[in-house]
Amino acid sequence: MKATLCTHYGPPEEMVVQDVPSPSPRKDQVVISVKACGVNFPDVLMIQDKYQFKPALPFSPGGEIAGIVKEAGEGVTAFKPGDKVIVSIGSGGFAEEAVADAARCVPMPANLDFAVASSFFVTYGTSFHALKDRAHIKPGESLVVLGAAGGVGLSAVELGHTMGARVIAAASSKEKVDLAKKHGADDGFVYPTGALSRDQQKALSEDIKRLTGGNGADVLYDPVGGDYAEPALRAMNWEGRYLVIGFAAGDIPRVPLNLTLLKGCDIVGVFWGASMMRDPKTGIANLTQITNWIAEGKLKPHVSERIPLARAGEAIRLLMDRKAQGKVVVVM
Ligand SMILES: NC(=O)c1ccc[n+]([C@@H]2O[C@H](COP(=O)([O-])OP(=O)(O)OC[C@H]3O[C@@H](n4cnc5c(N)ncnc54)[C@H](OP(=O)(O)O)[C@@H]3O)[C@@H](O)[C@H]2O)c1
């Protein structure tokens, strides 16, 4: 079978397509004929040796797949060859076949195509865990989403809207803010790119306050970090929850802790992958709920690009260059 491999750390253009042996299932595992694989920012980080999980070289990136069960290992009763499934596997998805724990697989709804099915576990899983389990968001609260047209950002917009929040989308272009509005954001604003000056940081805080009726954000969803974090924290409401999702801007911000005291607000860490391992029951229940909402049409994951396996590096490049909107998917 063919796989796109990272053989050494570096840019996505240096990944290679190779023939590799088909995997075999161990006990409680299935082998899946991969049809599509969603691309996420951790893929960008993993191929550069900047991610917390470090698969041994050579490895195939790609953490979430949709496909057809090819072979079920000993002890697997929930799935049989021919079943369509979705599963998050961490890495190994840029390949024609991948192995997964059967307990982590969810049946794929009949009305989804493979690309859409492979596009939402990581993003919507992260955002649902963040908003429901970590922020305990309530209907009527304001939710400000930075990077609102990116993978996790757009999923937070849709889920926040579905959960009854008033959603404010913040992104680096009008086109991105407009996409977030199409997916349920009530309002939004454009922020600048590059290193932010003091005035630009102040303007970002003011935009959040202006669009939240002067109160500040009840919940702030931050997958961007960098220069955007401190001004966003300065615009929190009393008892607000600031969700630390990621650092797509590159720098891990260091913020003055007195801001949390002054606002009586919480800075809340979110690590979906670890939460799935520590509490798989809640994690799978969350993914099942999301899958049902998508099958019912209540949530509409946005797949902006479908890129063939042989050009999988281009998919990662789109995220690196801040050009991806919603999800980019590699198709087999
Ligand atoms: N905590 C968790 O459990 C968890 C789970 C999944 C992902 N994450 C993290 O969440 C972050 C976003 O992941 P994603 O898959 O949604 O990525 P994505 O689709 O590429 O979205 C990232 C967004 O960040 C913004 N951004 C700002 N500066 C950027 C830069 N220099 N390069 C690229 N993007 C930049 C972009 O929006 P604008 O152009 O509008 O600013 C972009 O849309 C990553 O840090 C990832 O590791 C965390």
Side-chain angles (χ1 to χ4, degrees):
M1 66 123 177
K2 292 209 181 313
T4 296
L5 297 177
C6 170
T7 55
H8 58 274
Y9 299 118
E13 291 74 16
E14 290 178 11
M15 293 195 304
V16 289
V17 183
Q18 280 184 6
D19 282 311
V20 296
S22 288
S24 300
R26 289 204 300 261
K27 191 171 179 303
D28 299 325
Q29 288 185 328
V30 289
V31 171
I32 297 166
S33 293
V34 181
K35 299 295 173 194
C37 176
V39 182
N40 293 286
F41 212 82
D43 300 321
V44 173
L45 301 174
M46 235 179 248
I47 64 164
Q48 300 177 88
D49 195 23
K50 291 181 179 170
Y51 196 56
Q52 54 259 40
F53 293 135
K54 297 182 189 296
L57 290 167
F59 70 91
S60 165
E64 57 181 335
I65 57 173
I68 300 174
V69 174
K70 182 188 165 207
E71 193 181 347
E74 188 199 331
V76 177
T77 53
F79 298 102
K80 60 181 188 318
D83 288 347
K84 293 179 178 176
V85 292
I86 316 175
V87 60
S88 137
I89 52 173
S91 62
F94 285 11
E96 289 174 331
E97 293 172 13
V99 73
D101 291 340
R104 292 182 65 125
C105 295
V106 169
M108 183 178 134
N111 60 345
L112 293 191
D113 72 18
F114 285 112
V116 172
S118 76
S119 76
F120 65 84
F121 261 31
V122 172
T123 49
Y124 286 72
T126 298
S127 295
F128 199 37
H129 171 59
L131 298 176
K132 170 179 151 285
D133 304 330
R134 303 296 287 139
H136 308 289
I137 197 165
K138 295 186 276 296
E141 286 195 312
S142 61
L143 165 66
V144 175
V145 181
L146 305 186
V152 292
L154 201 58
S155 70
V157 167
E158 279 212 330
L159 281 163
H161 174 74
T162 302
M163 295 163 90
R166 183 169 178 279
V167 182
I168 315 293
S172 64
S173 70
K174 182 173 179 306
E175 193 190 351
K176 288 184 173 184
V177 171
D178 287 346
L179 178 67
K181 284 185 179 168
K182 273 197 207 135
H183 284 260
D186 297 279
D187 218 328
F189 67 95
V190 177
Y191 52 59
T193 55
L196 301 196
S197 67
R198 282 236 166 266
D199 283 350
Q200 286 173 322
Q201 293 190 23
K202 211 168 156 223
L204 199 157
S205 299
E206 279 164 6
D207 277 333
I208 293 176
K209 286 186 192 150
R210 178 174 56 82
L211 294 175
T212 52
N215 297 321
D218 295 315
V219 178
L220 193 303
Y221 186 97
D222 180 11
V224 178
D227 285 352
Y228 301 85
E230 186 176 327
L233 183 61
R234 287 184 185 277
M236 293 303 294
N237 197 1
W238 180 251
E239 293 188 347
R241 286 85 73 208
Y242 186 106
L243 295 167
V244 180
I245 305 293
F247 314 103
D251 290 336
I252 298 177
R254 285 167 176 70
V255 293
L257 277 183
N258 65 315
L259 294 174
T260 63
L261 179 156
L262 294 170
K263 291 167 183 302
C265 72
D266 297 338
I267 297 177
V268 184
V270 176
F271 191 173
W272 177 69
S275 79
M276 285 293 291
M277 284 188 234
R278 285 165 180 269
D279 184 3
K281 210 171 147 208
T282 303
I284 290 293
N286 284 353
L287 288 175
T288 303
Q289 170 74 81
I290 293 163
T291 306
N292 290 342
W293 275 336
I294 291 172
E296 290 163 17
K298 282 187 187 155
L299 299 171
K300 294 189 171 57
H302 178 67
V303 175
S304 57
E305 305 272 352
R306 298 166 193 236
I307 295 181
L309 179 65
R311 293 173 26 219
E314 291 174 31
I316 295 188
R317 172 57 67 188
L318 283 172
L319 271 73
M320 282 176 96
D321 288 352
R322 216 168 171 165
K323 288 187 182 143
Q325 296 201 7
K327 286 301 292 261
V328 175
V329 167
V330 170
V331 288
M332 310 313 152

